[in-house]
Amino acid sequence: MAIHKIKFFTGRASRYLAEKIVAAYGTTLGECEVVEFSDGEFQPHFIESIRGCTVFIIQSTFPKSDNLMELLMMIDAAKRASAYKVVAVIPYFGWARQDRKDRPRVPITSALVANMLTVAGADRVMTLDLHADQIQGFFDVPVDALYASGIFVPYIKKLGIEDLSIASPDMGGAKRASTYAKLLETPIIISHKERAKANVVGSMTAIGDVEGRNILIVDDMIDTAGTICMAANMLMERGAKSVRAAITHPLLSGKAYERINESALQEVIVTDTIPLNPEKDLHKFTVLSCADIIAECIERVHNYQSISPLFYKS
């Protein structure tokens, strides 16, 4: 068993989730405050001693960028306060779509964020459904990259959907869709899209048998919802019985909520890595918590146990 005392803290944006994680772990959050200055600067402060402790800091880095900055500052503060180890628990790892140089003179921002986390003092990173698995290679510290399949697959099985097929909203998600299709023992459909520009889809078609199938679209994130709504409408036009979606990270920017509610999507299943907007119409949404799987991962890592059992197997 581990000999170092464990303490949990959270940034402001992820307190709702951090409270669930520590409750699943069987403890409470440590005391921390953020002092805000009139010019917009802020300063995190650990109210209690963390000397010699293994400190887990829980914060998703969804917009705005203050959430990332707050996480970096908390890591730095913990190292300067003589924490034994600092683990950044990042349920949603933002900036992950910028994982390659896909045109001239652009940054590889996910690598930059990885470097900033390491320089700040993170000894380890935990996250859920990275946009691309190879992002782990940007880090020089261990990365525990969990998969939401361990959350979604049991729920889908309980629904008992007949004539089920798994679909990817684009070619880039084919590997993820293939994994779900294998776990659920279903056929796979690949949607092929052509983008007019960033966040705007020009046209779309489907590869695979659609007619008479109940289709589940799987993806790691949903931003403007343009792609997934176009895919759902296209699949229904091609003869699908129903279309659902299982999306790990609900960014839902712009008119995403309205697009979903006006689309052919019957249900949108998401995790709580990012909070939904309570002021929007959420009747199509089902939220499954990632707190249990993250809490178990924390326990296993802290006690030097394998996390392999957390990866869902059919």
Side-chain angles (χ1 to χ4, degrees):
M1 297 293 289
I3 59 173
H4 295 277
K5 188 174 181 180
I6 185 172
K7 288 194 176 184
F8 294 87
F9 297 91
T10 182
R12 291 170 292 179
S14 294
R15 175 168 289 275
Y16 73 97
L17 178 55
E19 289 174 347
K20 297 178 190 176
I21 292 171
V22 298
Y25 190 86
T27 186
T28 57
L29 286 170
E31 292 187 68
C32 180
E33 66 177 6
V34 178
V35 178
E36 295 189 5
F37 301 99
S38 59
D39 65 349
E41 285 190 13
F42 54 89
Q43 183 184 61
H45 169 224
F46 294 101
I47 297 174
E48 59 192 79
S49 174
I50 54 176
R51 183 177 297 273
C53 297
T54 298
V55 175
F56 289 83
I57 302 174
I58 303 165
Q59 175 86 313
S60 285
T61 55
F62 52 84
K64 53 187 179 177
S65 56
D66 281 2
N67 294 331
L68 171 60
M69 190 65 185
E70 185 175 324
L71 173 62
L72 294 168
M73 294 168 74
M74 291 181 74
I75 293 169
D76 181 74
K79 295 299 285 190
R80 294 178 188 276
S82 300
Y84 171 66
K85 295 285 186 183
V86 179
V87 182
V89 181
I90 312 174
Y92 168 68
F93 183 85
W95 313 95
R97 284 173 285 185
Q98 300 182 45
D99 61 345
R100 63 197 182 282
K101 192 172 180 181
D102 55 358
R103 53 181 173 150
R105 299 174 295 280
V106 296
I108 304 178
T109 311
S110 55
L112 173 63
V113 172
N115 290 335
M116 289 193 293
L117 288 164
T118 304
V119 171
D123 296 292
R124 191 180 200 100
V125 170
M126 291 182 185
T127 189
L128 180 69
D129 264 9
L130 277 171
H131 184 62
D133 287 337
Q134 60 266 28
I135 290 174
Q136 296 174 64
F138 294 151
F139 289 89
D140 291 325
V141 297
V143 177
D144 300 306
L146 299 170
Y147 295 100
S149 56
I151 303 167
F152 289 141
V153 171
Y155 175 80
I156 296 300
K157 285 189 171 183
K158 286 181 181 177
L159 293 179
I161 303 170
E162 296 182 354
D163 302 318
L164 178 66
S165 289
I166 300 298
S168 168
D170 52 37
M171 300 296 288
K175 181 181 177 182
R176 177 179 290 103
S178 178
T179 299
Y180 276 83
K182 187 179 297 183
L183 292 170
L184 291 165
E185 300 178 337
T186 67
I188 185 172
I189 299 165
I190 305 296
S191 299
H192 175 64
K193 67 182 180 184
E194 294 182 4
R195 284 199 181 276
K197 58 183 178 179
N199 288 126
V200 178
V201 180
S203 61
M204 179 174 289
T205 187
I207 304 169
D209 294 328
V210 175
E211 189 169 355
R213 307 296 298 183
N214 290 302
I215 298 172
L216 175 70
I217 302 172
V218 295
D219 208 355
D220 65 309
M221 66 177 70
I222 182 169
D223 190 355
T224 64
T227 296
I228 199 165
C229 290
M230 180 179 284
N233 295 339
M234 179 267 295
L235 292 167
M236 288 299 292
E237 289 171 2
R238 283 176 162 247
K241 290 181 181 177
S242 68
V243 182
R244 290 178 172 83
I247 312 293
T248 309
H249 308 297
L251 284 163
L252 298 171
S253 62
K255 296 183 178 180
Y257 289 95
E258 290 77 10
R259 288 193 181 103
I260 288 170
N261 287 327
E262 293 169 3
S263 75
L265 285 165
Q266 178 177 322
E267 180 184 19
V268 179
I269 311 156
V270 298
T271 74
D272 53 357
T273 58
I274 301 172
L276 297 181
N277 186 343
E279 297 180 358
K280 298 292 186 178
D281 181 356
L282 304 178
H283 77 277
K284 286 191 176 183
F285 288 87
T286 299
V287 181
L288 305 179
S289 183
C290 61
D292 288 344
I293 192 171
I294 292 177
E296 187 172 351
C297 183
I298 290 171
E299 182 175 12
R300 288 176 175 274
V301 166
H302 185 56
N303 293 316
Y304 307 105
Q305 298 172 344
S306 172
I307 67 168
S308 296
L310 299 183
F311 299 124
Y312 186 83
K313 294 179 177 60
S314 58

